[in-house]
Amino acid sequence: MKEQLKKIEELAKAELASCTEIKSLDELRIRYLGKKGELTAILKQMGKLSAEERPVVGQLANKVRADIEEALSEKLSALKASAQAAKIAAESIDITLPGKPQTIGKLHPLSKVENEIRDIFMGMGFNIADGPEVDDDYHVFEALNLPPDHPARDTQDTFYINDKILLRTQTSSVQVHVMETQKPPIRIISPGRVYRSDAVDATHSPLFHQIEGLVVDKGIKMSDLKGTLEMLMKKLYGNNCKLRFRPHHFPFTEPSCEVDIMCFNCGGKGCSMCKDEGYIELLGAGMVHPKVLEGCGIDSSIYSGFAFGLGLERMVMGRYSINDLRLLYENDVRFLEQF
Ligand code: PHE
């Protein structure tokens, strides 16, 4: 019987050594140590033994059981460890591989130049004002000294919603909104979209952007307008840029002017970009008409002001030598990437 026990231990250990799966360990345990297992079968025959032999064999049997159990649990931990190692190896990430680059968007050139202009004016103590893009006839025209039959209305082909409501054709409407709600001193700019019923070509679009400026205070003069605009353009285009103020007419400013900048391309000599003029028109401006001030409840005998409206697209096109306005709206990434 002792031999049988030894044999069982040897066989169990040999089988265990060649085990590679946790599942087969369980089978092995049942086969050797289970109720119907080989070791149990031997113990059942213990009755046949003599009183002296019984404790010796019993002890040996217990030892064999303990040994096999220990070997089983050792093997179990070894198999678990190698399964874990294999899992880690299979799931590991190779951090030396190059990552997938993320393409980061950037600001549209219109936004970039608008932000620059905002910063320059904020530096001069201006606030930013906002106004509605869908507005009424009063704020876009009438309050700006453009009564219903005024011929200057014809130059702004307007999108009407109905007789009274329209898409604003100029940010000058914000002048009125601001003067209705704020008392002088007023110092604001108002960037925004405007709409005119124009056919699309290289220099026209039914939607474009203006930046309105308005200053109202005691003793504001034309020279303040000149100084402000010169400061803006020098900051934007460098100290060598040259402005030209030409007399013009706007119903809501008196006197009025248009302001041109010396052509970026030819330096005033004349080229295709400036249509041989040497200068490029940038904006309209003037001293706020007393009628406009009075209409907004501001006493024109005490206060005066200047206003200007500049075309953002034109500034951007000059800045980056873009010769077709449509490029700014097509959102072709190959174009936008360049700024
Ligand atoms: N609103 C005018 C335009 O669209 C520009 C302008 C603004 C002129 C303010 C004078 C004062 O042409």
Side-chain angles (χ1 to χ4, degrees), residues 156 169-170 172 175 196 210 212 250 252-253 284-286 307-309:
Q156 302 196 355
T169 55
Q170 49 184 357
S172 298
Q175 289 184 36
R196 293 186 195 177
Q210 287 188 333
E212 194 77 9
F250 294 105
F252 38 93
T253 46
F308 58 86

Side-chain angles (χ1 to χ4, degrees), residues 29-303:
R29 180 194 307 278
I30 293 165
R31 195 142 38 80
Y32 284 97
L33 307 178
K35 273 189 189 151
K36 291 178 183 160
E38 295 191 23
L39 194 66
T40 322
I42 290 178
L43 290 177
K44 276 182 185 157
Q45 295 168 29
M46 292 259 288
K48 293 180 194 160
L49 295 175
S50 65
E52 298 89 59
E53 269 183 316
R54 224 179 284 157
V56 183
V57 174
Q59 238 176 11
L60 184 64
N62 282 339
K63 189 172 175 311
V64 168
R65 168 181 285 275
D67 284 353
I68 295 176
E69 261 168 6
E70 197 186 312
L72 270 168
S73 86
E74 267 170 22
K75 186 73 185 185
L76 183 65
S77 347
L79 284 180
K80 274 188 180 164
S82 64
Q84 176 81 348
K87 198 169 173 226
I88 288 171
E91 287 177 0
S92 69
I93 301 165
D94 183 354
I95 55 164
T96 62
L97 277 177
K100 289 186 190 138
Q102 287 281 331
T103 42
I104 296 174
K106 41 178 150 175
L107 287 177
H108 192 279
L110 283 169
S111 306
K112 273 178 102 157
V113 174
E114 185 188 312
N115 287 348
E116 271 180 58
I117 295 175
R118 279 173 185 253
D119 282 350
I120 294 168
F121 278 108
M122 303 253 279
M124 291 196 272
F126 282 64
N127 287 321
I128 311 288
D130 205 8
E133 288 174 27
V134 182
D135 210 339
D136 53 29
D137 189 271
Y138 177 78
H139 287 88
V140 181
F141 294 128
E142 246 184 284
L144 291 166
N145 204 19
L146 278 140
D149 298 322
H150 198 289
R153 284 196 181 206
D154 292 348
T155 61
Q156 302 196 355
D157 304 300
T158 311
F159 289 114
Y160 283 94
I161 310 277
N162 60 37
D163 282 352
K164 290 271 162 252
I165 308 294
L166 44 92
L167 299 185
R168 67 178 179 192
T169 55
Q170 49 184 357
T171 45
S172 298
S173 53
V174 185
Q175 289 184 36
V176 182
H177 285 288
V178 168
M179 285 190 281
E180 279 173 345
T181 52
Q182 293 176 31
K183 293 280 140 272
I186 292 169
R187 225 182 285 161
I188 59 104
I189 59 159
S190 184
R193 278 187 281 259
V194 296
Y195 303 84
R196 293 186 195 177
S197 176
D198 284 330
V200 178
D201 65 22
T203 52
H204 290 88
S205 158
L207 178 158
F208 59 103
H209 298 76
Q210 287 188 333
I211 298 181
E212 194 77 9
L214 174 70
V215 171
V216 183
D217 203 349
K218 288 177 185 156
I220 296 293
K221 298 187 288 293
M222 192 85 181
S223 51
D224 296 313
L225 169 67
K226 264 190 99 176
T228 306
L229 291 175
E230 259 163 19
M231 173 69 117
L232 168 71
M233 298 307 170
K234 287 200 163 137
K235 293 232 173 191
L236 276 178
Y237 296 112
N239 278 336
N240 294 331
C241 77
K242 262 211 171 115
L243 295 185
R244 180 173 79 178
F245 288 71
R246 265 185 299 110
H248 197 74
H249 170 76
F250 294 105
F252 38 93
T253 46
E254 182 59 37
S256 304
C257 60
E258 276 191 332
V259 182
D260 308 330
I261 190 163
M262 189 183 275
C263 180
F264 313 96
N265 196 34
C266 62
K269 287 191 202 82
C271 68
S272 64
M273 192 165 158
C274 57
K275 298 189 186 108
D276 277 335
E277 290 257 345
Y279 280 82
I280 297 169
E281 184 201 320
L282 284 183
L283 58 99
M287 300 307 292
V288 181
H289 199 294
K291 258 179 116 170
V292 175
L293 292 173
E294 297 291 339
C296 296
I298 294 174
D299 188 341
S300 64
S301 66
I302 301 175
Y303 294 105

